[in-house]
Amino acid sequence: MLDVTWNPVLIVISFLVAFIASFVALDSAGKISDASRLAALFWRIAGGMTLGIGIWAMHFIGMLSMQMPVSMHYEVWLTLASLGIAILAATTALNIAVRRNSLSRSRLFIATLILSSGVVAMHYLGMAAMMFDDSIRWNKTGVSLSVVIAVLASGAALWLAFHLRHKHKGVLINRIAAAILMSVAICAMHYTGMYAAHFPHSPHSMPGGVSEFGLSVWVCATTLILLGIMLIISMVDSHRRTNRLTENLRQLNKQLELQARFDALTGLANRQQMDLNLQDCLHTALLTKKQFAVLFLDIDHFRLVNDAWGHYVGDELLISVAQRITSRLSPGMTLARLGSDEFILLLPESDDEKIASLAMTLLDDIRRPFSICGHTLNLTLSVGVSLYPQHGETLHELKFNADAAMHHIKQEGRNGWAIYRPEMSKTVSAEPHFLQDLSKALEREQFELWYQPTYLASEHEIHGFEALIRWHHPEQGVLLPGVFLPSMEKTGLIIPVGVWAIDQACRQLRFWTEQGFGQWTLSFNLSPIQFEQQDIFDVISGAMKKYNLEPSRLILEVTESTALKNLERSIELLNQFNEAGFTVSIDDFGTGYSNLLMLNVLPARELKIDKSFIDGILINEKNRKIVETIIHVARTMEMNVVAEGIETEAQRQLLAELGCDYLQGYLFSRPLPAQQVPWLVLQDRTGKQIIPIGKNHVEYSINSQKNHA
């Protein structure tokens, strides 16, 4: 048999061609997930053609690297046929493997069979294109081994193409490594097949066909043209995607800015926007020395509406109330919703007669029956008024005194209005023993952590829990954080209670680990005061070491307002947590400063979409667009996304389709005491509702469920 030598330079070039083709094919598959239907079809075909032509080019460059004492010629039609087979097999197989959201074993088997058959046929047809006056003799063992390698390489290539479609952290490195693996496998198959070929001792090349020089020009030209076209297309696509992302960021920042300034339900100004308007009004009043008024408005017995007819009717009622009040306002007046059923009204340059007339008109308007969802509802209104400068010269004083006047009306029987008087302040002071009880609650072991699960969006499986603090008051029962956290923060009790909560949460996580749930994560919210605590890193890391826990299992939730309040301090502290392995999560995203560009600065690895966006996601196209863009931006920044406040199956399905990673809400479970978590796990495994939730476990306020400790 003829001795054959090999050109190492061409062997290296053949490997590089296989690597580039593999990487381009994987990159094309990665563009499918967030592309339109037509664009996805293009990338599937382009990726398959690139892979097929790359394998074919690698094969013939490898053949050119084989040096024999005669000048070789190649039959044109067989060479073209081998190219067509490679393209057809690679394109068909890639389309079968990556066109759906899941890859079943049967589809992987069929796609592998098609691709490996095409590669083997291309290889041996290409070998048959060599024009000899004698036939090539084959080593059956070598041929069989090349076929086995082709099957394994094809299966691995298609599996990698499917699983590296989505953008996630480290995907570029993974694609490079996968492309190297694929190119090694392709080269191994080719050179194993070449090794199995034995050529005649004195071969004579037949005339005609394509010469080695012609084939080299043809292969190089085909490869360069293909890679050049794909490079240009990829650059244009990346530029288009960048422009689209920039535009989405601009639009989303605009939407989030509006969301941060206006109430999502009624469209009125919110607390933050009203504070800005009040500050402007104060500044103008200082210059003009003119009086203005602040009115606090509260719907009487509004909670009964929610309890009797549900939150949907309550929301519709709030919208109708806002519309009736707004219809009576003059230009320059500002109405804002503070939350729940509380409103605040700013009347610039108002005299006593104008205030009295407007207050009486609003009371009469609200007393008129409302027709909501087939129900006739009768309401009354309580209104408190404070005047500048008589009742205060600061924003806080004016709001506090208007609130005091409103509560005075509540105690007098509701359905009325009053201007603030100093004696009214006493009616809104805390109960005499409340702060005293709160200061001794930790000592008396009255605090408890409850846990609300977070589920994987792709399947009904618990990912982890969020720790939420509760106070078992000896007289008032279980109190939610919204009742006592403000007092804790004002008095500084949040620091020792926070240290206790961190220790309790870590101890509970250790217990779950010993019970076999070592994959669960635990998250809790850091309040602004805790975030400023100088030794907060030592407290948290010390608790993790005490209970021998991996830092990656602890998620620290920080609201964007807290994180951006002192940006330099936040970046330093969050970097410290990040480098130690903790996961930093931006909580209640979209309700604070809402500047997406700051996500590049903050070392966060998780984004938690606020419930206010989720509530209207099925009926409000803007909300849906915002959530979709947030998820897309988070993906680009390699961040996980958690959506909270999931209450319906339709919300769950939509968020899963949009690519959300984790979900949390009443659809899955309300917050539970630790002792009820095993029942939740058993319920998930059996599919039966077995967790008893009594009256004490019912929680109506989503917004007050943050741990802040």
Side-chain angles (χ1 to χ4, degrees):
M1 289 296 148
L2 183 68
D3 290 331
V4 177
T5 59
W6 301 86
N7 187 323
V9 175
L10 289 177
I11 291 176
V12 172
I13 292 175
S14 70
F15 173 81
L16 291 176
V17 168
F19 168 75
I20 295 172
S22 300
F23 182 81
V24 172
L26 291 174
D27 186 62
S28 298
K31 296 179 184 294
I32 294 172
S33 59
D34 56 353
S36 65
R37 188 172 182 179
L38 187 60
L41 176 62
F42 167 79
W43 287 116
R44 290 200 303 270
I45 294 175
M49 290 184 63
T50 303
L51 183 61
I53 294 176
I55 293 173
W56 176 84
M58 177 270 149
H59 166 74
F60 277 96
I61 292 174
M63 290 178 63
L64 290 172
S65 71
M66 183 177 59
Q67 297 177 340
M68 293 189 292
V70 295
S71 179
M72 198 57 52
H73 289 257
Y74 298 85
E75 209 282 322
V76 176
W77 292 111
L78 288 179
T79 303
L80 288 174
S82 67
L83 174 61
I85 289 173
I87 293 175
L88 181 62
T91 304
T92 303
L94 197 65
N95 269 271
I96 293 173
V98 302
R99 68 180 301 172
R100 295 181 183 175
N101 293 328
S102 61
L103 181 61
S104 63
R105 290 183 180 180
S106 60
R107 284 179 43 242
L108 178 60
F109 174 78
I110 293 171
T112 300
L113 185 64
I114 292 173
L115 181 57
S116 59
S117 299
V119 170
V120 171
M122 179 277 301
H123 176 85
Y124 289 103
L125 195 61
M127 294 289 290
M130 301 176 69
M131 300 176 69
F132 282 115
D133 58 358
D134 199 354
S135 60
I136 301 174
R137 297 178 184 176
W138 297 96
N139 181 299
K140 294 181 179 180
T141 302
V143 172
S144 300
L145 183 59
S146 69
V147 172
V148 172
I149 294 174
V151 173
L152 295 176
S154 299
L158 294 170
W159 187 89
L160 290 168
F162 176 81
H163 286 89
L164 294 180
R165 296 173 307 153
H166 300 292
K167 291 183 178 180
H168 53 79
K169 189 173 183 180
V171 69
L172 179 61
I173 300 299
N174 290 340
R175 282 180 185 166
I176 292 175
I180 293 174
L181 178 64
M182 288 169 60
S183 55
V184 168
I186 293 168
C187 289
M189 180 271 161
H190 167 77
Y191 289 109
T192 301
M194 294 289 289
Y195 178 77
H198 297 286
F199 300 96
H201 216 6
S202 301
H204 296 284
S205 178
M206 297 174 63
V210 182
S211 66
E212 287 185 333
F213 176 77
L215 180 63
S216 64
V217 172
W218 188 14
V219 171
C220 290
T222 302
T223 305
L224 289 174
I225 290 172
L226 168 72
L227 294 179
I229 291 174
M230 288 303 297
L231 179 62
I232 293 172
I233 292 174
S234 182
M235 289 176 62
V236 171
D237 181 72
S238 297
H239 181 70
R240 180 183 62 82
R241 288 168 182 260
T242 301
N243 288 340
R244 188 175 65 184
L245 178 59
T246 302
E247 178 61 21
N248 285 342
L249 282 170
R250 188 184 68 80
Q251 291 291 340
L252 184 56
N253 272 326
K254 184 177 179 181
Q255 291 288 343
L256 292 177
E257 183 181 356
L258 291 175
Q259 188 81 11
R261 293 168 50 202
F262 295 93
D263 177 56
L265 178 65
T266 62
L268 300 174
N270 61 11
R271 187 187 301 270
Q272 182 180 351
Q273 182 63 28
M274 176 56 81
D275 285 348
L276 293 175
N277 289 359
L278 279 170
Q279 290 287 11
D280 290 341
C281 198
L282 275 171
H283 180 71
T284 302
L286 283 171
L287 298 176
T288 61
K289 306 296 182 183
K290 291 185 177 180
Q291 171 181 285
F292 70 87
V294 176
L295 281 68
F296 257 57
L297 303 87
D298 186 271
I299 302 172
D300 299 327
H301 301 300
F302 177 74
R303 180 172 293 181
L304 297 178
V305 176
N306 280 337
D307 292 344
W309 289 286
H311 289 277
Y312 178 78
V313 173
D315 288 347
E316 292 296 317
L317 179 60
L318 288 172
I319 295 171
S320 298
V321 168
Q323 291 172 346
R324 284 196 187 180
I325 296 174
T326 303
S327 67
R328 294 294 186 177
L329 303 185
S330 304
M333 298 180 183
T334 303
L335 178 66
R337 179 177 175 233
L338 300 182
S340 187
D341 59 337
E342 291 185 336
F343 298 84
I344 184 172
L345 179 59
L346 173 62
L347 277 62
E349 299 185 14
S350 298
D351 54 36
D352 293 350
E353 183 180 347
K354 186 176 181 180
I355 294 169
S357 174
L358 179 60
M360 293 301 297
T361 300
L362 295 179
L363 290 173
D364 291 339
D365 282 349
I366 300 303
R367 276 194 291 262
R368 286 190 289 112
F370 290 85
S371 180
I372 307 293
C373 301
H375 305 289
T376 299
L377 306 177
N378 294 291
L379 299 177
T380 56
L381 193 67
S382 296
V383 182
V385 183
S386 65
L387 304 174
Y388 173 88
Q390 300 95 305
H391 304 139
E393 296 184 352
T394 66
L395 182 151
H396 174 73
E397 289 175 333
L398 290 168
K399 289 168 63 178
F400 183 85
N401 291 334
D403 189 41
M406 185 268 292
H407 277 87
H408 174 77
I409 291 296
K410 291 278 190 183
Q411 290 192 346
E412 292 295 317
R414 298 178 172 83
N415 188 24
W417 71 281
I419 295 178
Y420 171 76
R421 299 189 304 274
E423 60 268 23
M424 293 178 179
S425 296
K426 299 177 183 178
T427 63
V428 295
S429 60
E431 294 183 7
H433 301 295
F434 185 81
L435 290 178
Q436 185 177 1
D437 291 343
L438 184 60
S439 64
K440 296 180 180 179
L442 184 60
E443 177 186 344
R444 295 172 177 173
E445 299 183 352
Q446 294 172 351
F447 289 117
E448 182 183 9
L449 291 185
W450 287 24
Y451 301 90
Q452 186 173 24
T454 301
Y455 282 76
L456 296 174
S458 57
E459 51 189 303
H460 191 75
E461 180 181 339
I462 295 175
H463 168 67
F465 288 84
E466 180 179 5
L468 306 164
I469 195 168
R470 299 291 182 265
W471 179 16
H472 285 270
H473 192 277
E475 298 175 359
Q476 301 182 39
V478 178
L479 299 182
L480 300 182
V483 177
F484 57 87
L485 274 185
S487 298
M488 285 176 57
E489 291 178 340
K490 290 178 182 177
T491 59
L493 287 172
I494 188 69
I495 300 299
V497 174
V499 173
W500 169 86
I502 291 167
D503 183 83
Q504 286 293 110
C506 292
R507 185 169 71 170
Q508 184 62 50
L509 189 59
R510 177 73 258 169
F511 175 78
W512 285 333
T513 303
E514 293 171 353
Q515 296 298 309
F517 300 103
Q519 77 281 10
W520 284 355
T521 62
L522 186 65
S523 63
F524 57 81
N525 196 289
L526 290 177
S527 73
I529 294 177
Q530 280 183 291
F531 199 68
E532 294 295 326
Q533 187 179 336
Q534 292 301 314
D535 63 343
I536 187 63
F537 177 80
D538 296 330
V539 169
I540 295 176
S541 58
M544 296 295 285
K545 290 177 182 177
K546 175 182 176 181
Y547 294 103
N548 193 26
L549 296 168
E550 291 294 327
S552 59
R553 295 180 61 196
L554 196 66
I555 301 173
L556 306 175
E557 297 186 3
V558 181
T559 63
E560 50 181 325
S561 300
T562 299
L564 298 179
K565 185 177 181 181
N566 185 347
L567 188 57
E568 186 176 349
R569 153 76 176 170
S570 299
I571 293 174
E572 179 184 354
L573 180 59
L574 295 181
N575 269 324
Q576 195 175 6
F577 279 118
N578 199 37
E579 291 169 3
F582 295 95
T583 298
V584 176
S585 176
I586 303 299
D587 191 22
D588 292 345
F589 184 77
T591 61
Y593 293 92
S594 305
N595 190 343
L596 283 168
L597 299 178
M598 296 309 297
L599 294 179
N600 277 326
V601 180
L602 296 173
R605 287 184 284 176
E606 183 178 279
L607 203 60
K608 198 166 188 180
I609 303 176
D610 186 65
K611 179 183 183 294
S612 60
F613 293 106
I614 306 302
D615 285 341
I617 193 172
L618 298 175
I619 57 176
N620 189 323
E621 183 63 24
K622 289 184 178 179
N623 271 23
R624 186 184 187 281
K625 269 295 190 185
I626 289 175
V627 171
E628 187 175 1
T629 306
I630 288 175
I631 293 173
H632 179 67
V633 171
R635 281 281 168 274
T636 304
M637 296 182 178
E638 300 182 352
M639 299 173 69
N640 290 325
V641 183
V642 183
E644 60 181 357
I646 312 302
E647 297 185 356
T648 67
E649 177 63 22
Q651 291 175 339
R652 186 202 66 77
Q653 290 181 357
L654 177 58
L655 287 163
E657 291 173 2
L658 292 178
C660 194
D661 297 293
Y662 310 114
L663 304 175
Q664 181 183 25
Y666 283 6
L667 174 66
F668 307 103
S669 173
R670 297 175 182 270
L672 303 170
Q675 61 268 26
Q676 288 194 9
V677 169
W679 294 101
L680 176 65
V681 175
L682 185 59
Q683 171 183 300
D684 287 344
R685 290 177 178 175
T686 61
K688 297 179 181 179
Q689 179 68 32
I690 58 176
I691 297 180
I693 299 179
K695 293 183 178 179
N696 288 339
H697 299 160
V698 178
E699 300 184 2
Y700 294 100
S701 176
I702 291 284
N703 295 328
S704 63
Q705 288 178 355
K706 297 301 172 189
N707 180 16
H708 298 292

